[in-house]
Amino acid sequence: MVALAGASRGGGGGTATTAAATTAAATTAAAAATEASEDTEDEEGEEDEVTTTAAAAAAATTAAAATTTAAAATTAAAADPAGSGAGAGADLDPVELIWFFPGNWPQADQEMVFDEFNEMLKAHMNTTIDLRAVSFGEYEQKMSLVISSGDDYDICFTSNWLNNYGLNVGRGAFLELNDLLAEYAPNTFASVPSAFWEATMVNGSIYAVICEQISARISAVSLTEDDINEFGYDYENEYVPGDIRSLEPLLEAIYEKYPHRYFGMALDVAQEYLGMEYLNGVLTPGGIDCFTGSTTVFNQFKSEAFLKWVNDMRYFSDKGYMDATRRITMSEDPGTDRRNRMGSIGVGGAYKPGGAEFDSMLSGFTLIQFPSNKPILTTGGIIATMQALNRVSKNPERAIMVMELLNYNTTGEPFNKFYNTLVFGIEGTHWTSDGTFRTLTDAGAERYNANTEWMFASNYQAIPLAGQPADVWEQTKVVNNEALISPLCGFLFDSEPVKGEAGACAAVIQEYMRPLSLGVVTEAEYDEFLTRLDAAGADVIIAEMQRQVDEWVAGR
């Protein structure tokens, strides 16, 4: 994360399945359990199978209610999926879930907050969660080991950029959720636009719960208000969308007076800035040009647009704007750079309503933000933040009920206390609220500030931060609705056929990512980078992507 880059990455409810229908389903549970067991054994013997059949998913769901006691509990839960009624937890058997998720962990007060959340959850639905908080830097490797070794868990964060969704679905790691969502999370299911659910589908099946947020993606340009006042940069008229070189008048002025401050923009935020959609994330060659509307797949790293970005970053570095000599010795910029004002201008994160106010709070000084180019709604933007269930979870119904509780306020209270406690900490200790806005306390800023409000569940459940617009989430929905839509929005690449090539290319890209982002890659080194990608199988990946894209387009 660069020092000034944006830090962060609706509708009505539905009705649950009727109690009568659930009771009728429980009557046939014994037979369904037998069938589900046979289907599950078949699935475990075929790890490459992408999707569970609808019959097997329905049978597995019904089998979970096989006993008379469980059937009665399920009937009650179906009428009230999130357990919003008073004393609803007493009707449910006790369950403990395991949930893996990334963030800026550890936080000093995380155990205090997790204990408070679990006390609330236990009283509400007789459920507790072993919350396995993992740092961003360790999460990818951790989940790879957990999934490959078959370790026990129920819920995990997944996306197109971390714990890859498509790859894990292809490996059969995640549980199909179509029926579970409709029955146990009807409000969440109804409130998310149907086009968003379609973007998660593999062969017609949903394998993760979307954490709604700003899905129309475009990186934000972040400037300090002090710099604008001191140097007089008129960003509304001087900045040219899609051209970071138009920032140079301000960069040059800042550098002359404060030569230690740097421009920051990482390779992984460049795709929307360049008008592209990468079909399998930044670590895989293969993308399309959203501005032209073409569905022709190409190697984005060989494109003229990407080469121009590389040259612009090298130019900034040569001019001294990047502080590259110091920063290249570190794998990432220290989090302390933000508050120490080490950055001059940052391009990163996601531009969104209320984002400047939130990032100003984190930084300790006032930021001005604007989009670096046109926002684009892509599959990647939609699936950037999701929660998936383990295919062999022992309690998938309860896990989905927790997702419903966090993603939709069914408590009848002014705000979703479960979401806001888990995300922001304990009210009165880490934050206070006047009923409309939330204010961080010193303890909240210093002891529980993981900046993961977009990660646990729908960002729309957050109480707006003091200084943000009261209608920040309605504004966010407008940005999503008015964005340029990628011609492949809804397409999800299955990387399993080229997983060897994808892994080899990822290793090459990771090696060059930091140097490219700091503008220290020479022309000869850039040519070497492309040659190594070719040797790793970039053309094989792109050919497979094009084949899948053509099939998807033909089937629309």
Side-chain angles (χ1 to χ4, degrees), residues 14 17 54 59 80 132 155 216 236 324 347 366 369 420 429 463 508 543:
T17 303
D80 188 11
R132 307 278 182 92
I155 309 168
E236 292 182 337
V347 181
T366 303
Q369 293 182 346
N420 283 279
T429 300
I463 307 170
V508 174

Side-chain angles (χ1 to χ4, degrees), residues 303-379:
S303 68
E304 291 184 7
F306 188 83
L307 177 59
K308 181 181 183 304
W309 178 79
V310 170
N311 289 336
D312 286 345
M313 298 299 280
R314 186 187 301 121
Y315 172 80
F316 281 175
S317 183
D318 290 344
K319 296 282 284 189
Y321 303 151
M322 306 285 285
D323 190 19
T325 301
R326 177 184 69 89
R327 294 168 67 204
I328 195 63
T329 63
M330 301 174 284
S331 60
E332 60 183 7
D333 298 323
T336 53
D337 278 9
R338 176 194 292 274
R339 285 191 170 272
N340 292 336
R341 294 204 187 197
M342 295 296 289
S344 56
I345 300 175
V347 181
Y351 173 76
K352 56 186 177 182
E357 292 83 359
F358 184 82
D359 287 342
S360 296
M361 178 271 297
L362 293 177
S363 304
F365 47 87
T366 303
L367 292 170
I368 303 296
Q369 293 182 346
F370 51 91
S372 61
N373 211 331
K374 301 174 184 176
I376 304 171
L377 184 63
T378 66
T379 302

